[in-house]
């Protein structure tokens, strides 16, 4: 229940923040918003470490809520990619974002486990994560040029419930409505797996912390392989819709069969069958939505998709945590 609550809280605050961040980046430029977002994310990691040291569940929840606000940065990162990439190449470019996520998914659990064991301090990985956040701000400031050349200066039109309003607007538009519905249903279904994967491995198969970290690292390897290698091969012959028809079916099949595996060997064998189509689906869904809107609305579109991702990330663990 606590695992579901922590993840759901992150999803709720990202749901509110993602469309605001995306639209603000359309108006004021990508770079400044990215710097603010990665800085806040680094601070949230430090706050999480303080919560560990104090043994405060409330502080842990507050830090995850702040991290969800900062996670609205994902919409800005996708809009930045769209600014500098031709429409036909966006699936591959969005795949690079996913590959970076996958590499982080490999290194993060392994590095965190090593740091915690060497330091004998469970909060130490969070201090390191906060330091990496500070380095990220510096990296964006020095190396990332502003990609939104048509940024405006108007400050009007922003409310806390921009996410709800933007999603309602997206579902009123005939061209984008089927894409956003498909994206939401896909993300809602897959959203049941990540928060409870580690819990499932521990409770069902007796994994320890190191083994859970290795399982998550294996997921990262597969996602990176899908988006760095498989995606580039497929986009030479197939468009986004064709790839999604295949990859979404595989995601659905793996989600249905995952919990019925009779042995730990089959559970491990399911990792690539789940992670590779997931990596393909995420990149191609974002690319398809990006191609459906004009250049001056990339931030809005990616923000709406980010809200849908966050809503799925909130509903699924809330329902799953309560039901279990």
């Amino acid at each position: 229940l606590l695992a579901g609550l922590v993840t759901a809280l992150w999803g709720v605050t990202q749901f509110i923040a993602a469309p605001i961040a995306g639209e603000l980046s359309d108006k004021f430029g990508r770079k400044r918003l990215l710097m603010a977002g990665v800085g806040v994310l680094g601070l949230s990691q430090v706050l999480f470490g303080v919560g560990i040291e104090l043994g405060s569940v409330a502080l842990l929840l507050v830090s995850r809520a702040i991290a969800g606000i900062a996670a609205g940065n994902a919409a800005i990162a996708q809009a930045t990619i769209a600014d500098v990439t031709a429409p036909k190449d966006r699936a591959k470019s969005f795949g690079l974002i996913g590959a970076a996520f996958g590499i982080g998914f490999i290194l993060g659990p392994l590095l965190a486990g090593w740091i915690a064991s060497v330091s004998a301090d469970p909060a130490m990985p969070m201090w390191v994560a906060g330091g990496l956040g500070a380095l990220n701000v510096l990296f964006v400031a020095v190396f990332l040029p502003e990609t939104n050349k048509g940024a405006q200066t108007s400050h009007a039109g922003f409310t806390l419930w921009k996410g709800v309003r933007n999603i309602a607007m997206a579902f009123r538009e005939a061209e984008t409505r089927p894409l956003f519905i498909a994206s939401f249903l896909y993300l809602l279904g897959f959203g049941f797996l990540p928060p409870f994967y580690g819990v499932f491995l521990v409770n069902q198969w007796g994994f320890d912390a190191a083994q859970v970290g290795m399982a998550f690292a294996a997921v990262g390897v597969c996602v990176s392989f899908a988006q760095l290698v498989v995606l580039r091969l497929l986009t030479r012959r197939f468009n986004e819709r064709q790839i999604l028809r295949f990859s979404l079916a595989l995601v659905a099949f793996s989600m249905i069969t995952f919990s019925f595996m009779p042995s730990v060997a089959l559970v491990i064998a399911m990792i690539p069958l789940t992670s590779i189509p997931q990596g393909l689906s995420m990149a191609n869904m974002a690319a398809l939505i990006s191609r459906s809107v004009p250049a001056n609305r990339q931030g809005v579109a990616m923000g709406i998709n980010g809200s849908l991702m966050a809503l799925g990330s909130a509903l699924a663990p809330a329902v799953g945590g309560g039901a279990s």
Side-chain angles (χ1 to χ4, degrees):
L1 180 63
L2 185 58
L5 178 61
V6 168
T7 310
L9 185 60
W10 178 87
V12 168
T13 53
Q14 188 188 9
F15 168 73
I16 295 171
I20 297 175
E23 190 162 345
L24 280 173
S25 76
D26 282 341
K27 291 181 174 292
F28 307 123
R30 318 291 187 208
K31 183 171 181 173
R32 286 181 291 176
L33 272 297
L34 279 172
M35 289 176 62
V38 296
V40 170
L41 184 59
L43 289 174
S44 75
Q45 306 286 26
V46 172
L47 188 61
F48 198 92
V50 174
I52 293 173
E53 295 285 8
L54 298 179
S56 170
V57 173
L59 199 54
L60 298 181
L61 294 175
V62 169
S63 72
R64 293 306 294 158
I66 295 173
I69 294 172
N73 249 6
I76 305 174
Q78 289 178 328
T80 302
I81 292 292
D83 288 341
V84 298
T85 308
K88 64 182 180 64
D89 295 323
R90 282 180 190 163
K92 291 185 289 186
S93 296
F94 286 140
L96 290 176
I97 296 179
F101 170 80
I103 293 170
F105 220 62
I106 299 166
L107 298 178
L110 296 177
L111 185 60
W114 178 78
I115 291 171
S117 63
V118 169
S119 66
D121 181 0
M124 185 58 68
M126 310 314 299
W127 309 137
V128 175
L132 289 174
L135 287 177
N136 201 3
V137 174
L138 182 62
F139 187 89
V140 172
V142 174
F143 294 106
L144 181 70
E146 176 56 60
T147 61
N148 183 13
K149 305 302 182 182
Q152 307 296 316
T153 57
S154 171
H155 292 257
F158 293 96
T159 68
L160 185 63
W161 300 108
K162 192 71 173 180
V164 176
R165 292 170 55 188
N166 272 358
I167 289 176
M169 179 181 66
F171 280 84
R172 286 197 298 268
E173 297 179 3
E175 290 187 11
T176 58
R177 181 167 55 238
L179 298 178
F180 284 124
I181 291 174
S183 181
F184 173 69
L185 292 176
Y186 144 63
L187 294 163
L188 176 64
F190 186 77
F192 283 95
L193 183 60
F196 307 114
Y197 183 52
V199 178
F200 169 75
L201 293 177
V202 171
N203 290 347
Q204 187 74 17
W205 300 106
F207 276 39
D208 59 25
Q211 290 171 323
V212 171
M214 292 177 66
F216 275 105
V219 171
V221 169
C222 292
V223 170
S224 297
F225 175 74
Q227 298 188 322
L228 287 174
V229 178
V230 179
L231 184 61
R232 290 176 178 271
L233 295 175
L234 290 178
T235 52
R236 294 174 185 173
R237 297 188 57 186
F238 306 104
N239 62 34
E240 294 94 340
R241 290 180 186 272
Q242 292 170 320
I243 295 172
L244 283 168
R245 290 189 185 109
F246 178 72
S247 65
L248 289 175
L250 283 180
V251 170
F253 173 78
S254 66
M255 291 290 293
I256 291 170
T257 59
F258 190 88
S259 61
F260 295 101
M261 294 295 100
S263 70
V264 67
L266 289 176
V267 170
I268 299 302
M270 284 296 295
I271 289 177
L273 294 179
T274 305
S275 304
I276 290 176
Q278 162 65 6
L280 296 175
S281 298
M282 185 168 291
N284 281 281
M285 188 67 75
L288 192 58
I289 291 172
S290 175
R291 292 184 67 168
S292 71
V293 299
N296 64 349
R297 287 180 57 81
Q298 290 297 318
V300 172
M302 293 301 99
I304 292 171
N305 195 49
S307 276
L308 294 173
M309 290 178 63
L311 190 58
S313 297
L315 292 176
V319 172
S324 61

